[in-house]
Amino acid sequence: MERFEIAGTDGSAPVGVLTTPAGDCRPQLLEIEAWANRLGLEVVDLGTSAEPSDLSPGCDLVIALGGDGTILRALQLAMARRAAVLGVNFGTVGFLADCDGTHLGRALDALAAGEAHVDARTALVATMTPEGGPPVIAFNDVVIGRLRGYGTARLRVAVGGEPMLALNGDGVVVASPTGSTAYTVGAGGPAVTPTLDAIVLTPLATQGSPLRSLVVDGSDSIRVELEPASAPVSVEIDGRTVVDAPATAAIEIHAAPRKARLVRTRPRTFYGDLAAHL
């Protein structure tokens, strides 16, 4: 993994801090301020994950105080400027976090000592056509699901430009390897190590399809089209952004050209993390 270094005292870039709106992070905020002062770093308040501010130009590091939802929001802010995110867990899952709030000091010391590394993760880009607006980044998954109270979602799925599946059911989840341990596992799909260059496609409550899940190469694109007889569907990005899809919509999903960057300050493995949450 790439080493992550933060210089300090020589006009280095500011450190952004994003917090959860659901918890008291004041002790950790004071700890970050004291650490930054020792290194000669400026700390920029990015607000909460519910109402974040834009990332300052030149910012190399965002510290996210919260659960996986807050860390995902921090990654959205950081990715455009190639900044890295240090996740500090205040939630209940914490797959993306580097440490919990009680061990923040140890993580900051490792950063100052140049002992941190970058864990690069595949992100997804989703585009809705026609007239679906700009592409949207997903770090966990894109869920295309029928609206409640309506009938069956009828979808056609193509992979790499080749027709693959006709799905009748609740919809489909398209996940990055990082997101495979979220909705995908609950829907019967595999947990995929995040070092794989792959995309995971998992149908939701389908009728008549024997395929439970499909892992495709990370260079492939996935296209999901609505059949004319389909129930209305929505497109959900990382469990937050929800857009109702037009009746003639198609959703194109592929790997983002840039990787998401998570800071790691201690040795860990995907298998150890997974075992701890089973």
Side-chain angles (χ1 to χ4, degrees):
M1 286 194 289
E2 170 195 350
R3 184 179 295 276
F4 182 82
E5 296 184 3
I6 189 160
T9 68
D10 59 352
S12 57
V15 174
V17 179
L18 185 74
T19 62
T20 174
D24 182 6
C25 304
R26 284 174 293 181
Q28 287 74 28
L29 291 171
L30 292 173
E31 196 169 8
I32 293 168
E33 288 279 1
W35 168 79
N37 286 337
R38 290 196 301 270
L39 294 181
L41 294 168
E42 177 190 357
V43 176
V44 178
D45 181 4
L46 298 177
T48 71
S49 54
E51 297 183 71
S53 304
D54 288 335
L55 192 61
S56 300
C59 184
D60 292 329
L61 175 66
V62 176
I63 301 176
L65 304 177
D68 279 351
T70 301
I71 298 170
L72 286 169
R73 193 69 187 91
L75 285 168
Q76 290 177 343
L77 297 175
M79 190 171 179
R81 300 191 184 278
R82 286 194 49 80
V85 173
L86 174 69
V88 183
N89 187 35
F90 282 73
T92 56
V93 180
F95 264 109
L96 299 176
D98 178 69
C99 65
D100 60 32
T102 60
H103 296 112
L104 174 59
R106 186 180 352 179
L108 295 176
D109 289 342
L111 274 168
E115 298 170 355
H117 293 82
V118 172
D119 182 3
R121 301 287 185 93
T122 296
L124 304 177
V125 178
T127 307
M128 189 185 304
T129 59
E131 300 177 4
V136 180
I137 298 292
F139 298 98
N140 266 356
D141 50 38
V142 180
V143 180
I144 301 163
R146 69 182 183 92
L147 297 183
R148 290 185 180 180
Y150 292 87
T152 300
R154 302 181 185 277
L155 308 173
R156 294 191 304 269
V157 180
V159 178
E162 297 187 38
M164 177 62 63
L165 295 168
L167 298 178
N168 299 323
D170 285 353
V172 65
V173 182
V174 181
S176 69
T178 297
S180 70
T181 54
Y183 195 164
T184 293
V185 163
V192 177
T193 180
T195 56
L196 285 183
D197 184 15
I199 303 173
V200 187
L201 189 155
T202 305
L204 297 173
T206 54
Q207 306 161 9
S209 173
L211 189 69
R212 296 290 302 273
S213 194
L214 177 67
V215 180
V216 306
D217 191 271
S219 64
D220 286 328
S221 63
I222 294 173
R223 181 179 175 88
V224 181
E225 295 182 351
L226 274 69
E227 295 273 15
S230 176
V233 303
S234 65
V235 181
E236 182 178 291
I237 307 294
D238 286 346
R240 295 178 64 94
T241 304
V242 180
V243 178
D244 290 344
T248 58
I251 298 92
E252 296 270 4
I253 303 165
H254 60 85
R258 290 181 177 177
K259 301 277 190 179
R261 306 173 77 231
L262 290 166
V263 174
R264 299 303 187 203
T265 64
R266 59 187 178 90
R268 61 189 296 175
T269 67
F270 167 73
Y271 307 107
D273 287 348
L274 185 61
H277 290 87
L278 292 177

